[in-house]
Amino acid sequence: MKTLAIYNVKGGVGKTAASVNLAYFAAASGLKTLVWDLDSQGASSWYLHGQPGEEKTKKVLAGETPVGRLVKPTPFENLSLIPADFSYRYLDVMLKKVEPPREALRRLLKPFSETYSLAVLDCPPSLSHLADNVFTAADLILVPVVPTWLSLRAYEQLRDHFKAEGFPVKKLRPFYSMADRRRGLHRELLEAPPEIMSARMQAVVPYSSSVERMGERRAPVAAFAPSDDAAALAYAELWLETAKALGV
Ligand SMILES: Nc1ncnc2c1ncn2[C@@H]1O[C@H](COP(=O)(O)OP(=O)(O)O)[C@@H](O)[C@H]1O
Ligand SMILES: [Mg+2]
């Protein structure tokens, strides 16, 4: 099983949208896929029809319940979900009790390798202990970057964190998210990407009303939009690049 994380210290940059859409394409390609909604706000749980808030994660971390009990089916073939859990507010504290403390999430994921080919971690926007667990567990970390200087700076700070903490920087792959070609700055940064974006995915996720509609449809874009929808095509392309990078 490969583990893909979608991470950015910033909120509202398209992490959850990418998690759900990429997981959908992975599942549609025949890979048994598990989305773990690690954000207590539960946005990917909402899109995938999960019920958040059962507080079971605490028991799993205490070793009282097997981690497999957290998994729920979704309406989509080959796609399962671990919904967000309100007990995530304790997650940082709980993970710190495990030795070695950065390995807890990797260990929790281990039993799933018998059933799943891909785990997708939809991450909360914070540089926490949980984030360090994600950086350890993930084979690849996609970082949505809105084409603005502040977003680029946040990505640079993440790379600095990786270097300082000894995480492999090559796990990090940025991609442009919510790109709006009507804006001058977006166009400039898309046409002449700064050096820091050299390892980026080539797919660019456009600013799109169909992504906004996911909340109302409770489905990935490709499940309801026309087949030539620009965002659906961008996520399809991003998935192909991601699959290649993961070797799945
Ligand atoms: N490509 C996009 N185009 C338009 N709106 C988007 C796009 N990606 C995300 N959004 C919207 O922006 C908000 C934040 O997106 P989300 O994926 O939840 O970000 P994050 O998980 O990084 O907080 C949501 O309301 C979502 O519908
Ligand atoms: Mg999110």
Side-chain angles (χ1 to χ4, degrees):
M1 184 180 80
K2 296 289 185 181
T3 300
L4 170 68
I6 322 294
Y7 177 83
N8 192 314
V9 73
K10 290 171 83 73
V13 295
K15 292 183 297 296
T16 297
S19 302
V20 169
N21 284 293
L22 292 174
Y24 176 78
F25 280 113
S29 80
L31 295 176
K32 283 223 160 258
T33 302
L34 175 67
V35 172
W36 193 337
D37 186 354
L38 288 167
D39 188 345
S40 55
Q41 292 183 55
S44 49
S45 308
W46 169 259
Y47 291 142
L48 296 174
H49 301 247
Q51 296 286 341
E54 291 181 45
E55 307 243 338
K56 262 194 213 150
T57 314
K58 232 167 141 179
K59 289 193 179 131
V60 169
L61 283 159
E64 292 162 15
T65 302
V67 68
R69 290 261 181 91
L70 300 176
V71 178
K72 304 284 182 219
T74 77
F76 308 102
E77 201 179 350
N78 290 330
L79 189 55
S80 304
L81 169 74
I82 299 184
D85 186 321
F86 295 133
S87 66
Y88 284 170
R89 61 184 182 276
Y90 312 117
L91 204 54
D92 251 44
V93 179
M94 290 187 294
L95 288 174
K96 271 193 183 143
K97 290 184 185 152
V98 180
E99 273 302 323
R102 281 180 177 173
E103 300 275 333
L105 189 62
R106 194 215 294 263
R107 276 202 225 152
L108 285 174
L109 284 163
K110 215 167 215 167
F112 292 120
S113 57
E114 281 172 30
T115 316
Y116 295 95
S117 302
L118 180 70
V120 177
L121 309 177
D122 182 16
C123 300
S126 63
L127 198 53
S128 55
H129 184 60
L130 169 62
D132 284 343
N133 265 265
V134 167
F135 304 152
T136 306
D139 297 294
L140 184 70
I141 301 155
L142 293 184
V143 185
V145 174
V146 180
T148 64
W149 290 110
L150 276 184
S151 271
L152 287 162
R153 196 173 131 69
Y155 173 56
E156 191 166 17
Q157 286 167 336
L158 177 61
R159 286 173 57 99
D160 290 344
H161 175 75
F162 264 58
K163 287 174 198 157
E165 296 294 321
F167 295 115
V169 176
K170 64 175 196 294
K171 279 188 184 183
L172 291 172
R173 300 291 302 275
F175 70 92
Y176 278 131
S177 175
M178 301 171 91
D180 184 352
R181 288 183 180 276
R182 289 168 305 185
R183 296 185 190 198
L185 177 59
H186 282 220
R187 260 197 328 272
E188 257 171 55
L189 292 172
L190 290 169
E191 279 157 23
E195 174 62 28
I196 187 129
M197 291 294 281
S198 56
R200 74 190 179 283
M201 296 303 207
Q202 294 304 307
V204 172
V205 176
Y207 195 89
S208 145
S209 57
S210 36
V211 178
E212 289 174 317
R213 278 212 309 277
M214 285 173 62
E216 163 197 341
R217 303 298 291 257
R218 296 187 79 180
V221 175
F224 64 85
S227 56
D228 64 347
D229 179 88
L233 290 173
Y235 286 123
E237 189 190 336
L238 185 58
W239 166 246
L240 290 180
E241 286 181 82
T242 302
K244 201 167 161 203
L246 283 169
V248 291

